[in-house]
Amino acid sequence: MIQQLRAPLPQQALAEAEALLDKAPHKALDQAEALLRRMPGFGPAELLAARALRRMGKGRQALAKLDALARGSGAVPVVLWELGQAAAEAGDTARSIAALQALVQAQPGVSGGWFLLARQLRKAGHAEDAWRADLSGVHASSRDAGLLKAAVAVQDGDLGAAEALLAERLARQPDDPPALRLQGELAWRQGEMTPAIDRVERAVALAPGFDLARDFLIRLLLQTNRLPQALEHAEVLQRSPVPVAGHKLILASVLVRLGQQERAAALYRELLADNPDQPQVWQNLGHVLKTLGRQAEAVEAYRAAVLRQPTMGEAWWSLANLKTVKLGADDIAAMDAALVSLAGTVEERKEDVFHLHFSLGKAHEDARAHEAAFVHYARGNALRRTMIRHDAAAFSGEVRAAVETFSAPFLAQMGEGGCLAPDPIFVVGLPRSGSTLVEQIMASHSLIEGTMELPEMMMIGARLQSRVDEGEFPDFATMIASLSPADRRRLGEEYIERTRVHRQTDRPLFIDKMPNNWQHVGLIHLILPNAKVVDARRHPLSCCFSGWKQHFARGQTFTYDLGDIGQYYRDYVGLMAAWDMQMPGHVHRVIYERMVADTEAEVRRLLDYIGVPFEESCLEFYNNDRAVRTASSEQVRRPIFRDGLEAWKPYESWLGPLRSALGPVLDSYPDAPAA
């Protein structure tokens, strides 16, 4: 029979029968049997008959033929492949595993055999062997010429060619995990997050041991703020029989996002115990320790990072950004030397360079060398401004659209609706406005939980705006007006549900301190009518200058130019004044300077607005050891101080562009201009 399988074949008859297998397997069987009548025992025809029987649902007959072929032909891959599939479909897991193990031993480069073997091993309860089989399948796929061609097209940005290649492959092999993962990456590069996640989830479902796909899926879930799902997959990844350090790193990043800082710190320490020469891990550990309020340990971690990589700009900035730390002459010399060493690589190392300039600005400011400080801040901001997109005029137009939309008559016309949950307290305003102080005061109350800057409302707002951008509605006002009471209730419930993961206590109220939510106060009112909104406001020169010299890890793209940040503050004041006019009493304003001057009176006013009784603990907010992730994390662990009220004054002669952009807002503070 071996000779018959390898002998010259009646190609035309076999090809005709092969073509009928999928659509008319009974006809393929007829042709195979006709061949066998002419050539009894002819192996290829026996195999074709078995394949037809399997597709007709006659698994037992197919298995009988395939067993006979396997005994007679030995380890012929095509026979083993069919036998493995037929046994799997018949529920004979042991026979399927035996055939597939023989197959992958004979042809280790065929990924499909490994993936099918993994599924059968998993059914038999051999989880680790199944995981390793999936990994072997992925390894085999890495040498597949068709997949390599598609991967190169994706990397080269030829997305149309990649899409065609993958579509053609998946039409032939719809359950091919590596092709699905690559198709997910293609969708991600095209900005299609939902299809990207769907395809990578399918790849992981088909091959649970596909670690690289699961890693990519976690990153996609993090990008879309699906934190519980990301944590679930990150926990699975830790159980891989082929562990790598990156698995712990991605789990730690998920834990940080979920506010589980202690567990993230433990993972970083485990990684450093295995290999202490990892500056990025030292820096990550420093971030967690800073959030936990363990400042001395954070300093040690950041210094360990720059010791191992002196040009690591972000680690220097993290050290400088600890408001309780002052960098000395040796640090300035080390950062100057780092800039010199990076001089020829500014384009490639922009991140390090601008971080070093911000750090040197802080170091010179601490030394009261204000001109040198301003020069470095200006250089850092100018470089960072080239790396981000912010259209101040377009943003002002969006603010005007919000003012025109959310008028009192419009709100009255919308009527009642939304989710009635009273849980959220939104703290809004500009960064560096004292919002972290306000949050810490409220979070020291027994009925209020502090969380972090939550992106959920921004995401809901962006999703609604996309309906305008994609042409579903002619303008923002029409889109908002289309929201029925039920729509608004669903959106409010979505916000409550998506933020639930950040709530670690049973306190009935919680704080969302995303400052940019001042843009969405009207939307908040429509979908969460019982939510509270607290506007934290600080003197425009103090607030804007502090924001300009603060590098933010993400977002806040308006802060890297004095004119941009001044215009942004002006837009903010204008829109908040409109909310006050159209929704009187809906927003409670905390003026930072008043909070500093008479803390108890302002705290009592704030708590009255929230609707909770006064508690002394709110005046002792600095004793609250909750994790704080913002730039003011160290400052709110001390009693209120007056040092920062006029920190801008030594730089006054250089702040002309800021003054011009602020215009009448500067003179009218703390009120809005009459116009």
Side-chain angles (χ1 to χ4, degrees), residues 406-429:
F406 293 98
S407 65
F410 174 82
L411 293 170
Q413 172 190 324
M414 293 295 286
E416 296 182 355
C419 171
L420 301 181
D423 308 27
I425 304 169
F426 293 89
V427 177
V428 305

Side-chain angles (χ1 to χ4, degrees), residues 593-604:
E593 293 78 13
R594 292 174 183 166
M595 179 66 80
V596 171
D598 192 350
T599 305
E600 182 171 344
E602 291 301 311
V603 169
R604 286 183 179 276

Side-chain angles (χ1 to χ4, degrees), residues 394 397-398 401 458-480 520:
E398 292 174 14
M458 300 288 288
M459 293 171 70
I460 290 172
R463 195 171 75 227
L464 292 175
Q465 179 61 44
S466 71
R467 299 175 68 183
V468 179
D469 299 339
E470 292 168 6
E472 184 180 350
F473 294 97
D475 53 43
F476 181 72
T478 307
M479 182 273 297
I480 292 293
H520 298 302

Side-chain angles (χ1 to χ4, degrees), residues 366-567:
D366 288 342
R368 299 186 181 280
H370 297 115
E371 183 173 0
F374 190 86
V375 166
H376 279 292
Y377 283 138
R379 288 175 180 169
N381 274 291
L383 182 56
R384 182 70 176 123
R385 186 67 178 85
T386 67
M387 300 168 66
I388 53 96
R389 299 172 69 180
H390 175 71
D391 187 331
F395 182 77
S396 295
E398 292 174 14
V399 170
R400 285 193 298 274
V403 171
E404 292 164 4
T405 297
F406 293 98
S407 65
F410 174 82
L411 293 170
Q413 172 190 324
M414 293 295 286
E416 296 182 355
C419 171
L420 301 181
D423 308 27
I425 304 169
F426 293 89
V427 177
V428 305
L430 264 70
R432 314 297 298 143
S433 64
S435 56
T436 304
L437 171 63
V438 172
E439 176 199 33
Q440 185 80 342
I441 287 168
M442 289 193 292
S444 299
H445 196 283
S446 62
L447 298 177
I448 304 174
E449 179 177 2
T451 57
M452 57 184 73
E453 295 180 357
L454 305 179
E456 278 75 15
M457 188 57 64
M458 300 288 288
M459 293 171 70
I460 290 172
R463 195 171 75 227
L464 292 175
Q465 179 61 44
S466 71
R467 299 175 68 183
V468 179
D469 299 339
E470 292 168 6
E472 184 180 350
F473 294 97
D475 53 43
F476 181 72
T478 307
M479 182 273 297
I480 292 293
S482 75
L483 298 175
S484 69
D487 292 334
R488 287 147 50 199
R489 185 187 67 252
R490 281 193 295 270
L491 289 170
E493 289 171 348
E494 176 189 340
Y495 172 86
I496 295 295
E497 187 57 36
R498 289 176 66 90
T499 55
R500 199 175 303 282
V501 67
H502 299 287
R503 301 178 70 174
Q504 310 296 326
T505 73
D506 60 358
R507 298 182 183 188
L509 306 177
F510 75 97
I511 304 165
D512 178 343
K513 203 192 77 66
M514 177 60 75
N516 311 64
N517 278 332
W518 63 267
Q519 303 159 38
H520 298 302
V521 171
L523 176 62
I524 291 169
H525 181 66
L526 289 177
I527 71 174
L528 290 162
N530 291 327
K532 302 293 186 181
V533 180
V534 178
D535 174 21
R537 187 170 299 183
R538 183 180 173 195
H539 188 282
L541 290 177
S542 292
C543 185
C544 294
F545 178 66
S546 183
W548 178 77
K549 64 190 181 75
Q550 174 74 46
H551 176 258
F552 296 93
R554 65 184 64 83
Q556 316 306 359
T557 56
F558 59 90
T559 62
Y560 300 106
D561 177 89
L562 288 171
D564 285 348
I565 196 170
Q567 182 61 51

Side-chain angles (χ1 to χ4, degrees), residues 274-346:
D274 292 337
N275 177 11
D277 291 324
Q278 300 183 79
Q280 184 65 53
V281 180
W282 279 112
Q283 177 180 276
N284 292 353
L285 176 60
H287 292 341
V288 169
L289 293 168
K290 171 191 171 184
T291 300
L292 290 169
R294 287 146 61 176
Q295 305 306 323
E297 293 176 69
V299 170
E300 289 178 9
Y302 290 140
R303 288 206 175 277
V306 298
L307 177 67
R308 288 164 173 80
Q309 188 176 326
T311 58
M312 193 174 187
E314 186 182 348
W316 279 112
W317 171 243
S318 300
L319 192 59
N321 198 33
L322 287 166
K323 308 304 183 192
T324 54
V325 172
K326 291 190 176 183
L327 300 179
D330 290 345
D331 296 316
I332 291 174
M335 288 188 284
D336 282 336
L339 279 177
V340 170
S341 71
L342 293 171
T345 59
V346 174

Side-chain angles (χ1 to χ4, degrees), residues 576-591:
M576 296 309 295
W579 301 137
D580 290 344
M581 184 177 298
Q582 307 304 330
M583 296 181 284
H586 184 65
V587 176
H588 177 83
R589 187 154 297 111
V590 176
I591 302 299

